Amino acid sequence: MLVEKNVSLQHSNTFGIAARAHTLVRVRSEQDVHDVLADHRLVRQPLFVLGGGSNIVLTGDVKPVVLKMEIKGLRLLEETDRGWVVEAGAGEVWHEAVAWTLAQGYPGLENMALIPGTVGAAPVQNIGAYGVELQDRFHSLDAIDLATGRAFTLDAAQCAFGYRDSVFKHAAPQAPHEGSGLPRGMGLAGRAVITRVRLWLSKEWRPELGYLDLERKRAEAGTEHPTPRQIFDWVCEIRRAKLPDPAVVGNAGSFFKNPTVTPEQCQDIIARDPKVVHYPLPDGTIKLAAGWLIDACGWKGKTVGKAGVYEKQALVLVNRGTRSDSVTGGEVMTLAKAIQTSVYERFGIRLEPEPVVV
Ligand code: EPU
């Protein structure tokens, strides 16, 4: 276990916000987690688990002890007639894990190429893109309960996945799971650290081309039967064309979730704004494109202080500062609140931020 003091986190969050961790522990194995929990000086303070830092806004220095998850490892755990189970360490870069599975000949993750962040963070917000979510390829995960030090495994049902949501985003209930010793059910936010994730990749692979952008790529390529590799390349091209590369322009991906409304609310909005981008969901509600709502309020390309709205995708807030004079978390949140207010005033919809504000 490697313990460091007063560490800059500027390269550990994709926004590139300048903030420091008072204490940072590099966690490279399950044993490192147990060592942290056995160290009385470290556990006197709260713990904060950091993956790739692609979904956080740092509003100041981080006082809790930062556990920087660096557990590595990619391996085929099991192959059956029906598919493959692949296991990845929480500290693996998600995109590299996707590329590795394809190189090995295990398709299924190609639509989720280039999503920033680590494998361990993927289940927390049930990452997804171009019609596929992590929960569609999820097998199980290993985690350690930071309160008791016990290791446990969760399947998909126990993770309670939802749209950009899971058990890891909800606070622990008042009386946490007496008796079992395992934190089953809801409420693992701040309570557990994910160490390994297993993915289920079916041999009955079918291309997922439901998204217009992907269908366009398929038509351009003139193929009826694209390969997983082609889809991977198309997703990378689409993302590179409209999303900023965090290595160049700091950002945390989509800043707000796409809101859902009732058909009546949607009709109301269509009556006033016929062009509103909306998708009916199987449960009868309607999902609205938050990027469109923000764009319609005139925010695209705008800058407030050193926080900006990306010029090609209004759902992405960006760092307009420099490395030595970066945007602050406070500036990002001020801009986010101004956007929320104008979307609420015009459409009556409250946008919910996606990243975790620390
Ligand atoms: N739109 C605008 N103006 C904008 C942005 C979008 O009019 O400035 C319209 C687009 O024309 C499009 C619609 O809004 O018709 C949806 O835009 P897009 O296809 O870019 O997808 P999104 O709903 O904005 C979601 C995910 C992304 C994911 C893409 C593709 C959320 C919050 N975001 O974005 O995920 O890559 O779909 O599947 O669900 C992330 O979570 O960080 C992320 C990037």
Side-chain angles (χ1 to χ4, degrees):
M1 156 174 93
L2 199 61
V3 182
E4 296 170 36
K5 292 283 179 188
N6 193 25
V7 183
S8 166
L9 295 175
Q10 194 166 15
H11 293 288
S12 303
N13 74 100
T14 58
F15 244 119
I17 292 171
R20 303 188 86 78
H22 292 199
T23 307
L24 181 143
V25 184
R26 295 190 187 278
V27 173
R28 294 185 172 148
S29 65
E30 281 83 348
Q31 187 56 48
D32 281 348
V33 180
H34 294 299
D35 290 349
V36 168
L37 299 180
D39 188 318
H40 297 297
R41 284 161 311 166
L42 291 175
V43 288
R44 264 207 309 258
Q45 306 146 70
L47 303 172
F48 174 74
V49 178
L50 179 63
S54 61
N55 204 42
I56 55 171
V57 181
L58 297 172
T59 55
D61 289 346
V62 182
K63 291 180 190 77
V65 173
V66 174
L67 302 188
K68 178 93 171 55
M69 297 308 292
E70 297 182 355
I71 297 176
K72 298 285 182 183
L74 283 169
R75 63 177 178 143
L76 176 67
L77 199 66
E78 195 186 332
E79 177 173 358
T80 68
D81 295 346
R82 295 176 46 240
W84 301 273
V85 180
V86 168
E87 185 179 79
E92 290 286 347
V93 172
W94 170 260
H95 177 71
E96 286 170 16
V98 172
W100 181 84
T101 55
L102 286 174
Q104 304 297 309
Y106 319 139
L109 301 180
E110 55 284 345
N111 292 50
M112 292 185 281
L114 268 194
I115 296 182
T118 53
V119 165
V124 176
Q125 57 154 342
N126 185 24
I127 59 169
Y130 303 103
V132 181
E133 287 182 313
L134 182 85
Q135 66 174 335
D136 303 322
R137 304 288 182 263
F138 184 83
H139 180 278
S140 56
L141 60 77
D142 295 337
I144 297 174
D145 183 342
L146 293 171
T148 64
R150 278 179 209 242
F152 61 95
T153 296
L154 296 185
D155 62 20
Q158 289 168 313
C159 287
F161 290 123
Y163 167 59
R164 296 294 190 275
D165 195 30
S166 78
V167 69
F168 296 97
K169 283 191 113 176
H170 294 266
Q174 290 303 312
H177 321 293
E178 302 298 346
S180 73
L182 291 180
R184 260 190 255 116
M186 293 303 285
L188 293 179
R191 165 104 195 227
V193 57
I194 296 168
T195 52
R196 291 186 197 272
V197 176
R198 284 172 292 277
L199 300 160
W200 161 251
L201 303 173
S202 171
K203 287 187 177 171
E204 276 173 40
W205 178 83
R206 269 175 290 111
E208 293 283 350
L209 298 170
Y211 260 66
L212 193 61
D213 285 343
L214 273 179
E215 184 48 36
R216 251 189 228 132
K217 289 275 183 194
R218 189 204 57 74
E220 270 166 35
T223 172
E224 286 304 318
H225 304 288
T227 65
R229 183 76 219 181
Q230 275 177 308
I231 296 175
F232 174 89
D233 290 340
W234 296 339
V235 168
C236 291
E237 284 167 25
I238 295 166
R239 290 188 73 102
R240 287 195 175 111
K242 72 167 143 187
L243 295 170
D245 176 355
V248 183
V249 179
N251 74 90
S254 300
F255 199 89
F256 299 100
K257 295 183 188 182
N258 283 327
T260 47
V261 294
T262 62
E264 295 74 31
Q265 281 173 301
C266 191
Q267 275 313 320
D268 222 41
I269 296 172
I270 291 172
R272 283 177 288 137
D273 289 277
K275 289 198 184 127
V276 62
V277 178
H278 59 287
Y279 320 92
L281 297 178
D283 67 1
T285 61
I286 298 182
K287 186 161 92 174
L288 302 180
W292 188 91
L293 300 174
I294 298 167
D295 198 356
C297 291
W299 282 103
K300 202 185 228 171
K302 290 271 163 64
T303 300
V304 176
K306 290 185 287 296
V309 180
Y310 192 54
E311 52 280 6
K312 294 185 205 155
Q313 216 316 359
L315 194 49
V316 179
L317 303 192
V318 294
N319 183 351
R320 293 273 176 233
T322 59
R323 190 177 296 174
S324 57
D325 184 24
S326 79
V327 72
T328 63
E331 283 175 307
V332 172
M333 294 316 293
T334 300
L335 174 59
K337 288 200 179 92
I339 291 171
Q340 281 172 313
T341 302
S342 58
V343 168
Y344 184 71
E345 282 173 358
R346 171 144 176 205
F347 297 104
I349 288 167
R350 290 185 199 281
L351 291 181
E352 199 186 320
E354 211 195 84
V356 177
V357 181
V358 184

